Amino acid sequence: MKSLVILISGRGSNMQALLEAGFPIEHITVISNNPGATGLEIAQQYGAKTIVLDHRLYPDRQTFDKALAERIDTCQPKLIALAGFMRILSDSFVQRYQGRLMNIHPSLLPAFPGLGTHARVLQEGVKIHGCTAHFVTSQLDHGPIVIQAAIPVLPNDTESTLAARVLQHEHRIYPQAVQWFMDDRIRLSNNYVEVLDARVDEIALYSPGLPE
Ligand code: GAR
C-alpha cells in the first residue's frame, strides 16, 4: 500500500486539501519543523500520524535534514509533499528524494520564487498570477512543473484578496498533482513533466487540464 509524507511549518491548509482528497493511501504522516504549527492539530483530526522535528534543536541544516530524512525513510513514502514547509533544504536532502519531492508555491514559477509573492506581484503590476505544483530541485522554488493555475489580478486586489484567491487554486491543483503522481501518470524527463491523459477544465485556466 502507498505511503505519503507531508511536510508543514504552519497553517497547513494545503496539507488539509491533500488529506481531504481521499487518496487510496494507507499511511499518511505529517512532519512539522515547527512545534506550534496549527496544521498539526488538523492532521490529527484527519487521523494522520504527526511528528514534530524542531529544527531549532539541531546545530545546523545538514544535521536537521539528516534527522528529517531518517524519519521520512521509516515511512517509506512514495512521495514527499512540501505543503508550506518554510525551510531551505540541503542539496543532499533534495538529491536523496529527487523525482519524489513535490512543492506548492504561490506564484507562476519561475516568476516570483521566495516569500511575499502576492505583494511583489502587485508591486510589479503583473496582470496574471497563480500557483505552481512542481518537483523540488536544489534551486529554491524551482524545478520541473507539474501543474499551474493562472488567475487574473483584479484592479482592486490587495495582498490578502489575491492570496485568498490563489490559495483556492493551490487547494485544487496540489491534490491533483499528488493524485497523478500516486497513479503513476507523471513522466519526468530532465526538466519536463508529462502528465498522461490530463483533461482540460472549463472554469479557470489550468495547465495541464484537470478532470471536469
Ligand atoms: C501556501 O500559500 C504555499 O503555497 C506557500 O506557503 C503557504 C502555506 O500555507 N509555500 C511557499 O511559499 C513555498 N515557497 P498553508 O500552510 O496553509 O498550506
Side-chain angles (χ1 to χ4, degrees):
M1 200 64 180
K2 292 164 188 168
S3 150
L4 172 69
V5 167
I6 306 172
L7 303 184
I8 65 166
S9 296
R11 180 178 57 180
S13 72
N14 277 289
M15 170 210 72
Q16 185 171 350
L18 294 179
L19 295 174
E20 280 175 358
F23 304 124
I25 295 172
E26 198 173 29
H27 297 293
I28 301 186
T29 306
V30 173
I31 304 179
S32 174
N33 66 305
N34 169 17
T38 50
L40 285 166
E41 214 172 294
I42 299 168
Q44 283 157 9
Q45 284 162 12
Y46 280 81
K49 184 182 167 191
T50 56
I51 295 173
V52 173
L53 215 57
D54 187 344
H55 65 276
R56 292 167 301 187
L57 303 178
Y58 294 82
D60 52 39
R61 191 175 305 283
Q62 289 290 346
T63 319
F64 172 75
D65 283 4
K66 191 165 173 286
L68 180 60
E70 278 164 14
R71 293 300 182 97
I72 290 172
D73 289 349
T74 59
C75 305
Q76 295 185 294
K78 183 175 167 83
L79 179 72
I80 301 113
L82 309 183
F85 187 65
M86 304 312 253
R87 278 192 60 82
I88 291 171
L89 294 163
S90 56
D91 285 355
S92 54
F93 183 94
V94 170
Q95 273 157 25
R96 186 185 184 106
Y97 300 111
Q98 204 177 15
R100 57 190 189 107
L101 188 57
M102 231 185 243
N103 184 40
I104 180 77
H105 182 76
S107 78
L108 290 173
L109 292 175
F112 302 106
L115 298 174
T117 56
H118 311 299
R120 285 187 285 141
V121 158
L122 290 172
Q123 210 169 17
E124 297 290 344
V126 165
K127 303 297 185 210
I128 308 276
H129 185 31
C131 46
T132 304
H134 66 102
F135 287 103
V136 175
T137 62
S138 45
Q139 197 177 338
L140 179 70
D141 295 326
H142 201 271
I145 291 169
V146 180
I147 181 169
Q148 294 184 299
I151 61 159
V153 179
L154 303 175
N156 55 352
D157 260 328
T158 63
E159 193 179 340
S160 63
T161 60
L162 201 49
R165 267 199 345 279
V166 169
L167 193 64
Q168 283 178 8
H169 293 288
E170 293 183 40
H171 295 166
R172 195 152 175 213
I173 66 169
Y174 206 21
Q176 181 64 77
V178 170
Q179 180 75 63
W180 281 332
F181 187 88
M182 288 295 172
D183 290 346
D184 296 317
R185 287 175 61 194
I186 289 182
R187 273 201 207 134
L188 178 59
S189 57
N190 299 321
N191 195 41
Y192 189 78
V193 172
E194 183 191 354
V195 178
L196 307 176
D197 300 326
R199 283 174 286 166
V200 175
D201 186 84
E202 291 171 346
I203 299 161
L205 179 59
Y206 295 97
S207 185
L210 289 169
E212 282 146 38

